[in-house]
Amino acid sequence: MLKTTGATFLAIATSFFILHFSPPPKSYYHSLFISSSLSDNASISHHLRTLTRRPHVAGSQANAEAASYVLSTLSACNIMAHIVSYDVLLTYPDSRSLTLTPSPSEPPITFDLKQEIYEGDPYADVADEVLPTNHAYAKSGSVVGPVVYVNYGRVEDYGTLKEMGVNVTGTVALARYGEIFRGDIVMNAFEAGAIGALVYTDRKDYGGEGGDAKWFPDDKWMPPSGVQVGTVYNGSGDPTTPGWASSEGCERVSVEEVESSGDVPLIPSMPISGADGETILRSIGGQIAKDNWQGSKDAPTYRVGPGPGVVNLEYNGKQVIATIQNVMGVIEGVEEPDRFVILGNHRDAWTFGAVDPNSGTAALLEVAQRLQKLQRSGWKPRRTIILCNWDAEEYGLTGSTEWVEENRELLASRAVAYLNVDCAVSGAGFHASGTPQLDDLLKLATQQVQDPDNSSQTIYEQWIQSTESSLIGRLGGAGSDYAAFLQHIGVPAADMRFGAGYPVYHSMYDDYTWIENFGDPMFHGNVAVASVWGLVALRLADEEFLPFNYHSYALELQKRAEDLENEMSDKGITFSPLFKSIEELSKAARKINYQKKEIKEAKGWTSMWRNDHVKLRELNDRLMMAERAFTDCDGLLRRPWYKHLIYAPSRHNDYGSTSFPGIDDAIENAKNLNTAESWHVVQHEVWRVARAVKHASLVLDGKLT
């Protein structure tokens, strides 16, 4: 007869308990999350219809009601939910007018500046709640001047006009939307000497080609009277509280100080329709614009001016300290409650906001409902998951920025990652951007979710077939709520969506009917976004080892540094300190990946008797904190709010950027000045980035020098 020792008996009993009574592995719940049994496109459709019944601009009663709906939905999912309010500076149009005098011999034309209701419009009863077309934070004033056509209003477009001998000083610039952020269009016009700016939606970009082109509601294209509104504020957050939260009774800077900051335009501006823009274009004479400045095939010939057409632009806005509301839902982690995986989407819209942003809000609520079903099945997250529904994003990423500024120290020490969805679906084709250590995680998630437009393949298979350039974009621009997390405090971040730009963006035609007919008719795209979004969040929240790979980061930085070195080959700039730091980062990434593997291999069913959790926690902290090391307390030159030295907006395009924004800004300045001092600044910026990359490698390595 065999003798059974106490230790052997305990091991047998433990094995029996694990086999018969332990909960399913986390991977079981992750598979369940993306299963068809949990997804619900009818529920998503209901959420979207409810959220978009009325226009709900930030600060309005309709938006407060939308916040209540989100709050009640999260609470119904047994998620601890609450509202965080801030009092921020918002602007609204008070009065505006635009008159064109085509020539001295012709009578003036007064534009009505209205977006037209179409026959059978289901939202005609609330159309008068849509704000009159305007630019948020536009300069109030009245200007009269000849018109100059400036193409997309980029810096290089003004360079072309200068080469043509066209003087912009004292004119009103007419630019078309399409390539850069509207705030930069106005800023560039001011710097070129213009006294006002008009921005229109050209048929070539938004209205469909050809004389027989149809538009919404018969097709997806922007109607001739459609206007893309939006902010022209180039900063982030409440302009009167730069760098701190707009809480009750807080310090505020004056409006004069806001204007002197350089983040708001100093000339009046107005968005106008394609039809009005074309009327003004017909009044412009002078030289014929270049071929790539021309419009659609049946458009008039575009000339650059100035004049003879003269416009009288009047705009008066009112500034209001208004209350905005972020809705926050928290699912507390059971093992690491002080580690946060954050999902965010904004709620406020310029008009009805079916695509932007409430397709994303509907997806967020879908994620919440699926997580509730997982909880009913026994799932509990290892780390805390926070669901955020931001307010006033459209004005300047305001709600998310104020929250990050208020909670900066806690987030800097505890946030694992931020996952953003803004416009969840505007068409076919998956797009994702993120910090490079999340690349593998994004790819893996899309390999597990079915493509909504082709059930025979995964999203990943569609993605790699349709992408001509790099698969995953980077978050250099300030286009959505990831900016404060990544670019201000250095939290790893990702952003995802189906579809690229869409024609009715920021117009009153971005309604439920448009998305039901053209954007996502069966709401399968919304289901797919929720699946990928939630799956990435679950892996970040549940996996013992954070699924970060900094080797991807090192490869990305190496490539960008090589591109810059080639560009600067004749300028005497040395990139050797940067290459050395990148090599150190690569070594540290390989080392921590090996350490992760070692701990994994050492963990068997007996690991419960070991003290591996301390090693695990310490390794995860290094993975989490390495991104913070890419920030610099001084921030970018003349843009101190942007602390991240790898990813931040371009100085002349808030929507776009490549890596190393400080180096790029310095190069742009040095090219203009071409002085020894300006090129010395470029070298200094290279050293700054090199130091930041070295700091990241030291964090990954986890040892003091």
Side-chain angles (χ1 to χ4, degrees):
M1 182 176 174
L2 293 174
K3 291 184 178 180
T4 303
T5 66
T8 303
F9 178 80
L10 182 61
I12 293 171
T14 302
S15 299
F16 180 83
F17 179 83
I18 291 173
L19 289 172
H20 296 278
F21 298 103
S22 62
K26 292 294 176 68
S27 58
Y28 164 79
Y29 294 111
H30 299 179
S31 297
L32 182 61
F33 179 85
I34 60 175
S35 67
S36 59
S37 62
L38 260 65
S39 62
D40 190 348
N41 56 342
S43 176
I44 287 177
S45 172
H46 170 74
H47 291 317
L48 186 62
R49 189 187 291 273
T50 303
L51 289 162
T52 60
R53 181 64 189 91
R54 295 169 59 194
H56 48 288
V57 71
S60 67
Q61 178 59 33
N63 199 36
E65 291 170 5
S68 296
Y69 178 79
V70 173
L71 180 69
S72 64
T73 303
L74 293 178
S75 299
C77 295
N78 292 321
I79 294 173
M80 294 183 296
H82 63 282
I83 285 178
V84 180
S85 298
Y86 298 100
D87 296 326
V88 302
L89 179 71
L90 303 180
T91 70
Y92 303 98
D94 199 16
S95 64
R96 74 223 205 290
S97 66
L98 181 65
T99 302
L100 167 70
T101 303
S103 70
S105 61
E106 296 179 77
I109 300 169
T110 299
F111 298 103
D112 64 15
L113 305 177
K114 290 182 179 179
Q115 301 184 81
E116 296 175 0
I117 299 169
Y118 58 88
E119 186 177 346
D121 186 345
Y123 301 101
D125 61 323
V126 291
D128 60 349
E129 296 180 27
V130 174
L131 276 184
T133 53
N134 77 105
H135 282 151
Y137 301 110
K139 174 76 171 176
S140 293
S142 176
V143 295
V144 179
V147 187
V148 168
Y149 171 55
V150 299
N151 196 26
Y152 292 108
R154 301 166 295 188
V155 171
E156 57 264 39
D157 292 328
Y158 286 100
T160 298
L161 289 171
K162 187 175 181 180
E163 291 172 1
M164 296 172 69
V166 177
N167 186 4
V168 178
T169 302
T171 67
V172 175
L174 176 67
R176 54 180 173 174
Y177 280 117
E179 293 293 325
I180 64 173
F181 173 58
R182 71 187 68 79
D184 291 305
I185 293 176
V186 181
M187 200 70 71
N188 292 344
F190 168 73
E191 291 180 357
I195 58 174
L198 299 169
V199 192
Y200 77 101
T201 47
D202 195 290
R203 272 192 291 164
K204 184 177 182 179
D205 300 306
Y206 296 91
E209 288 280 7
D212 58 348
K214 297 179 180 179
W215 50 78
F216 185 70
D218 299 315
D219 207 334
K220 67 178 183 179
W221 301 105
M222 178 81 93
S225 70
V227 179
Q228 181 191 135
V229 302
T231 189
V232 288
Y233 172 48
N234 280 57
S236 292
D238 182 350
T240 67
T241 61
W244 63 89
S246 298
S247 53
E248 185 178 353
C250 68
E251 176 190 8
R252 294 185 187 274
V253 303
S254 67
V255 173
E256 290 73 24
E257 288 175 289
V258 171
E259 288 195 347
S260 67
S261 71
D263 287 332
V264 294
L266 300 178
I267 56 174
S269 68
M270 187 181 295
I272 60 174
S273 69
D276 292 348
E278 198 165 292
T279 298
I280 296 173
L281 279 162
R282 292 180 188 275
S283 76
I284 300 175
Q287 300 175 62
I288 295 176
K290 296 167 60 177
D291 287 347
N292 60 358
W293 287 37
Q294 296 295 327
S296 55
K297 294 177 182 178
D298 59 335
T301 299
Y302 291 2
R303 296 176 180 271
V304 297
V310 173
V311 296
N312 184 334
L313 164 62
E314 293 186 18
Y315 175 76
N316 287 294
K318 54 185 176 182
Q319 299 180 333
V320 178
I321 298 295
T323 299
I324 63 170
Q325 298 177 314
N326 295 333
V327 185
M328 320 296 290
V330 180
I331 304 174
E332 190 167 292
V334 294
E335 294 172 72
E336 298 183 72
D338 61 339
R339 293 294 179 261
F340 308 146
V341 176
I342 307 170
L343 290 73
N345 153 268
H346 76 95
R347 179 187 67 258
D348 66 296
W350 285 119
T351 59
F352 298 98
V355 172
D356 183 10
N358 296 129
S359 62
T361 314
L364 184 72
L365 297 179
E366 166 73 3
V367 170
Q369 289 173 325
R370 291 197 214 176
L371 293 179
Q372 179 197 22
K373 294 172 184 176
L374 289 191
Q375 288 180 299
R376 287 175 178 171
S377 300
W379 166 81
K380 295 178 181 179
R382 179 186 184 92
R383 303 178 184 93
T384 295
I385 295 175
I386 305 176
L387 306 176
C388 309
N389 186 228
W390 310 116
D391 202 349
E393 186 270 358
E394 297 292 5
Y395 275 83
L397 317 179
T398 308
S400 58
T401 298
E402 298 309 309
W403 189 75
V404 168
E405 289 175 345
E406 183 168 47
N407 297 282
R408 177 172 52 231
E409 301 308 319
L410 270 179
L411 292 170
S413 61
R414 298 184 179 186
V416 171
Y418 175 72
L419 307 174
N420 190 70
V421 170
D422 192 328
C423 305
V425 186
S426 61
F430 184 74
H431 299 268
S433 298
T435 45
Q437 76 273 60
L438 298 176
D439 286 0
D440 292 348
L441 181 55
L442 287 167
K443 291 174 185 177
L444 186 60
T446 58
Q447 288 167 5
Q448 296 177 256
V449 179
Q450 180 181 301
D451 177 24
D453 298 307
N454 185 347
S455 59
S456 66
Q457 64 182 6
T458 64
I459 292 175
Y460 181 77
E461 289 168 330
Q462 171 273 319
W463 195 11
I464 59 175
Q465 292 168 8
S466 62
T467 304
E468 296 178 0
S469 57
S470 58
L471 190 65
I472 299 175
R474 298 302 170 213
L475 297 174
S480 195
D481 289 302
Y482 53 78
F485 290 91
L486 173 62
Q487 297 162 2
H488 189 57
I489 63 172
V491 174
D495 182 81
M496 59 200 80
R497 69 188 189 280
F498 272 94
Y502 63 105
V504 297
Y505 173 68
H506 280 195
S507 75
M508 69 175 286
Y509 307 107
D510 180 8
D511 61 19
Y512 182 89
T513 302
W514 190 92
I515 203 168
E516 184 181 39
N517 290 340
F518 306 110
D520 190 19
M522 301 301 294
F523 295 93
H524 291 161
N526 252 288
V527 168
V529 167
S531 294
V532 176
W533 196 7
L535 189 57
V536 171
L538 284 170
R539 290 200 59 197
L540 287 167
D542 284 341
E543 291 197 6
E544 285 188 312
F545 295 91
L546 290 178
F548 289 170
N549 182 2
Y550 278 89
H551 186 60
S552 297
Y553 225 126
L555 292 174
E556 178 88 9
L557 299 186
Q558 178 76 19
K559 182 179 183 304
R560 176 58 181 151
E562 289 171 354
D563 290 342
L564 276 175
E565 185 180 47
N566 292 333
E567 182 185 343
M568 295 288 102
S569 59
D570 60 340
K571 302 299 182 182
I573 306 297
T574 176
F575 286 85
S576 56
L578 180 53
F579 284 119
K580 182 180 178 181
S581 294
I582 293 170
E583 176 57 29
E584 291 174 357
L585 179 66
S586 183
K587 289 178 181 178
R590 289 194 297 269
K591 182 178 178 181
I592 200 169
N593 286 345
Y594 179 74
Q595 291 171 340
K596 187 190 299 185
K597 182 180 178 182
E598 271 191 321
I599 299 175
K600 280 183 177 179
E601 290 176 350
K603 289 177 72 65
W605 69 269
T606 58
S607 65
M608 67 183 69
W609 313 117
R610 299 180 181 178
N611 198 26
D612 284 344
H613 68 276
V614 175
K615 291 182 181 179
L616 176 64
R617 174 81 166 190
E618 189 272 340
L619 186 144
N620 279 338
D621 282 353
R622 285 187 273 145
L623 289 168
M624 180 181 74
M625 297 302 294
E627 187 72 49
R628 315 287 197 270
F630 292 121
T631 63
D632 185 285
C633 60
D634 293 330
L636 298 180
L637 187 63
R638 293 188 293 276
R639 295 189 293 155
W641 187 87
Y642 293 102
K643 308 294 186 186
H644 207 285
L645 299 190
I646 311 299
Y647 298 114
S650 163
R651 192 148 181 255
H652 293 286
N653 180 13
D654 205 49
Y655 281 164
S657 169
T658 52
S659 305
F660 311 139
I663 299 176
D664 280 350
D665 287 349
I667 289 173
E668 188 72 27
N669 187 57
K671 285 179 178 178
N672 291 332
L673 298 178
N674 199 26
T675 61
E677 183 181 358
S678 64
W679 287 110
H680 176 73
V681 173
V682 175
Q683 186 65 72
H684 172 64
E685 290 296 327
V686 172
W687 275 108
R688 287 185 74 200
V689 175
R691 288 190 288 270
V693 175
K694 182 177 181 179
H695 289 321
S697 67
L698 290 172
V699 171
L700 279 182
D701 197 47
K703 293 182 179 179
L704 295 170
T705 57

